Amino acid sequence: MRWVKRSAQGLAALLMLVLVALAYLALRSLPVMDGELALPGLRSPVQVQRDDADITHIHAKDPRDAWMALGYVHAQERGWQLEMNRRLMRGQLSEVFGKSTLETDLLMRTLGIRQAARAQIAGLDEPSRQALQAYSDGVNAFFAHRTGTLPPEFQILRIDPREEAAAGRYWEPEDSAGWSLMMALDLGGNWGNELARLSALQVLDTKALWELFPPYPGETPAASADLATLYRQLGVFRTTPAVSLTAPPTGDRLAQGIREWVDTLGHVDSKGSNNWVVDGAHSASGKPLLANDPHLGLSAPAIWYFARLQAPDVAGLRGMDVIGATLPGTPFVVLGRTPDVAWGFTNTGPDVQDLYLEQIDPKDPKRYRLPAPAGQEAWATFTERVETFKVKGGPDVTHTVRSTRHGPVLSDVPGRTQELVDTGRYAVALRWTALDADNRNVQATAASNRARSVAELLEAFRDFHSPMQNAVMADRSGRIAYKAVGRVPVRAAGNDIRGIAPSPGWDVRYDWTGWLPYDDTPQDDGRRGWIATANQRIHAADYPHFLTQDWAAPYRHQRIESLLAATPRHDMASFRAIHADQHSEATLLLVPYLLKAPSTHALADAAKAQFKGFAGDMSANAAAPLIFSAWVDEFTRGVIGGRLGKEKFEKLYGKRLFRSAVEGILARDDKAWCGAQGCAAASGAALDRALDKIAAQQGREVPGWRWGVAHPALSVHRPFSNVGALAPMFEVRRETGGDPFTVNVGQYHLDKADAPYANRHAASMRAIYDLADPENSRFIYQTGQSGNPLSGRYRDMADGWVAVEYRPLRMAPGAWRSSLTLHP
């Protein structure tokens, strides 16, 4: 017993030592937020203060110092986020994660993000280039001169950025411009939809394709070509399995989240947001109110970092006074307000990516076919460059990147394109607006930070390029406005595919013919008294220009409009209620089919009883939302999966829900999809499977089932969310309600077997701007300002975000939480 007692005492002492060591490391890894620090390169001292809402205020005497200080603060607070961002866009993940991320690196280098960013910087005005350089200098200075411990991710993965930072190479101006391109890639991509349609056409005819991918309500399919016949005649599809050069090691979970994120690129489904604005005639204050909640993939740390930048004009360089959401990696406020004007974005989602089938010369595989007069042939040589990849634990890998007149060849990268297309006959090239050298997003965002009116914002956004955004804005004079800002290609009248699916690259009628002028993009001057966008079709049916067919279903927009119309005079409380709204009209549309589903399952009657009095509120504490979501999931798997085939279906599902297709199939009782017994039988079988699945997770007491248990908001950390022992420390989870069609959105990815209903794509932040009293504006997002999981500020907004509460967004706060002076 004496020995046991001594052993226990020894273990307790050891544990105490470990805890003390961890506390010491935690303290050493947290940023210095008070006192004084040297920041070589500054022109004058800069004050960095954090207010009670934990917003960082940067007060400088020169705009270049403000941008440099923001780079320093981003590195302080979000160092690991910057590390992951730069490795992702540079195609250097494999240096840390080994061959499991090599396909991701191949894709990034093939797209040429850094090369495109470099070309775009050359076309910027001098103040914008100075902003990028100053910001980069601030990031590099932090890493080069840091004396404490870096955040735990650097320690675990043994990454030391000091040498690169000291040489000014850790972060460079093209990295900031490149991160803007990465946002465009995440939000402005639709090449995945083209591949999805192409994939489906291996087993469907064109009529069935449009049943699976229905056009927007009231529209006809944008493509008039018989696509199934076209691809069959061209012999597009691969008939033998593709050989992956970079198959990831079995069981490698560290890089799984990265690969999953990359697999969603090129898909606009589920990528949405809300914004709305009312004028003074519809507000209690007599001045406009504006709300925004951009829906993005939830991550820990969050994608946003809230800050204020203040600096006066200096010779030849305009200053700024702006507060709001910054993107770590870039030097500006992306969404927010100045003293006199506020703005918010949602994703427009125009078709700005076209895939082209480039026919390979059978006599010379280094050549591809060009347009030529009928009866003639013309060929061009692929443009090539060689990329070398350093791979942890293995030899370097070289890869030849090819390009055509349309753009980079995606089918040379192992993955979904290569698996689908016969790459001996065709290369698949990408034409994408964001890669063009005239992309001036950096310049437009810098100008927005100086705007003092709606008119100045509209002028600033003339340079906005990619991804196209629905911008709503309001100023203190009372003006409100909407404008679709960004670049949209014009397609020829004879283009019978219109970018809906891959087009023959040698046929000139499928080439873009120009750009839609800024003055012709959709706009609204707010004559109704309010404006709302939620990724729905943003123009009238008679709008003369084609933007896309891939609009979001109009449910969220219709709900916002109905709530705006229901209140004569809006205030902060009514706007909060809209942000919090979890009514799902899309669910109510299909509930009758669930209730009519024949079932002998022991739990069926109890499950259907949960819908008594159900009015479409997708509450976290209710069972009905869970039962419905599981039923419609199983119905989709059984009906659409049954027709497409299991392997093909699983590659398409999750990135899209096929909800519009399901609505049509059930409404028609479509036996071609549901089978000879009809859709009622398919619904009953789906209900049985759904009830078995839920019971296995939450037991057999149906009234005790809760949607929130299955639907937690999951802010994932890359890479440690995929490491079981580390996940609780690094990721942020909170139970939530909502679904993909509620204003308070809760998108789930049903291909994630471990948590198919987890809320992975939601309001990445919420903001309300009061133009009667801008200091009454407010915000919230789902994690916290710090990117260090050892900090108490890492997840301190999470509970407030779930409750749809806010923090004040003030330029003149009542008190400072911390105060730091940065000296030259």
Side-chain angles (χ1 to χ4, degrees), residues 233-501:
Q233 291 175 344
L234 291 175
V236 167
F237 297 110
R238 176 181 289 277
T239 57
T240 58
V243 178
S244 174
L245 303 176
T246 59
T250 301
D252 178 10
R253 297 187 60 81
L254 195 61
Q256 180 179 330
I258 299 166
R259 294 195 302 269
E260 290 175 348
W261 178 80
V262 171
D263 198 41
T264 68
L265 297 177
H267 299 277
V268 294
D269 294 52
S270 84
K271 295 178 179 179
S273 307
N274 305 315
N275 62 16
W276 64 91
V277 61
V278 298
D279 65 13
H282 294 81
S283 76
S285 69
K287 291 288 186 178
L289 284 170
L290 188 151
N292 192 197
D293 54 296
H295 306 160
L296 298 168
L298 300 181
S299 63
I303 192 171
W304 305 111
Y305 181 85
F306 269 71
R308 180 193 182 190
L309 299 176
Q310 183 185 36
D313 296 347
V314 297
L317 194 62
R318 289 189 60 187
M320 81 292 284
D321 192 3
V322 61
I323 189 170
T326 69
L327 277 174
T330 65
F332 309 115
V333 169
V334 179
L335 298 168
R337 71 175 182 90
T338 68
D340 300 303
V341 65
W343 68 96
F345 286 168
T346 70
N347 206 29
T348 311
D351 191 334
V352 297
Q353 291 179 340
D354 279 4
L355 293 178
Y356 288 92
L357 298 166
E358 309 285 18
Q359 187 175 357
I360 296 171
D361 186 351
K363 299 176 183 177
D364 183 357
K366 290 185 175 293
R367 301 198 307 172
Y368 67 96
R369 188 176 175 184
L370 295 176
Q376 300 181 32
E377 291 183 355
W379 306 89
T381 302
F382 287 99
T383 301
E384 296 183 351
R385 72 175 189 275
V386 176
E387 295 281 356
T388 301
F389 301 84
K390 296 184 181 300
V391 181
K392 182 180 179 180
D396 291 356
V397 172
T398 59
H399 177 74
T400 299
V401 175
R402 298 189 297 172
S403 298
T404 73
R405 68 191 186 93
H406 293 115
V409 172
L410 298 184
S411 54
D412 288 344
V413 179
R416 50 187 166 170
T417 311
Q418 195 176 91
E419 293 167 356
L420 185 61
V421 175
D422 183 347
T423 52
R425 303 183 68 184
Y426 298 99
V428 181
L430 172 68
R431 178 77 173 96
W432 178 29
T433 56
L435 295 178
D436 288 2
D438 65 348
N439 188 333
R440 303 284 187 274
N441 261 31
V442 169
Q443 203 161 295
T445 308
S448 72
N449 285 199
R450 301 189 295 264
R452 302 301 292 265
S453 67
V454 164
E456 290 184 8
L457 267 182
L458 287 168
E459 191 60 31
F461 288 143
R462 280 186 177 275
D463 281 328
F464 202 90
H465 195 289
S466 303
M468 188 180 224
Q469 297 291 286
N470 298 320
V472 298
M473 54 201 86
D475 63 28
R476 298 196 69 187
S477 76
R479 183 179 177 185
I480 67 173
Y482 157 79
K483 182 69 174 173
V485 300
R487 182 64 67 86
V488 181
V490 174
R491 295 172 175 87
N495 185 336
D496 58 359
I497 297 179
R498 285 175 132 181
I500 293 299

Side-chain angles (χ1 to χ4, degrees), residues 752-806:
K752 305 292 191 294
D754 59 330
Y757 307 116
N759 180 359
R760 300 173 186 270
H761 199 103
S764 61
M765 67 93 163
R766 299 186 185 101
I768 303 175
Y769 305 96
D770 184 350
L771 278 302
D773 177 11
E775 291 293 275
N776 189 38
S777 301
R778 51 200 67 177
F779 82 102
I780 196 73
Y781 60 86
Q782 89 285 358
T783 58
Q785 287 279 78
S786 175
N788 188 330
L790 301 176
S791 169
R793 301 164 50 244
Y794 184 72
R795 62 188 80 220
D796 62 334
M797 295 190 206
D799 292 335
W801 176 80
V802 171
V804 194
E805 298 169 347
Y806 305 88

Side-chain angles (χ1 to χ4, degrees), residues 208 210-214 555 586-587 589-591 593-594 628-629 631-641 649 653 656-670 673-674 679 682-683 686 741 750:
W210 297 122
E211 294 169 350
L212 182 61
F213 294 93
Y555 294 112
T587 296
L589 180 68
L590 297 185
V591 163
Y593 298 100
L594 184 159
F628 172 83
S629 299
W631 166 76
V632 76
D633 174 27
E634 290 298 330
F635 181 86
T636 307
R637 291 177 186 274
V639 170
I640 295 179
F649 174 78
Y653 199 41
R656 54 191 53 77
L657 295 177
F658 294 117
R659 180 65 68 85
S660 295
V662 168
E663 291 173 358
I665 290 167
L666 283 168
R668 297 188 303 270
D669 188 18
D670 196 326
W673 287 92
C674 289
C679 293
S683 293
F741 306 99
L750 292 166

Side-chain angles (χ1 to χ4, degrees), residues 696-718:
Q697 297 293 323
Q698 298 196 22
R700 299 184 67 82
E701 295 297 322
V702 176
W705 290 352
R706 294 177 59 248
W707 176 226
V709 172
H711 187 60
L714 177 55
S715 296
V716 298
H717 179 280
R718 295 184 181 93

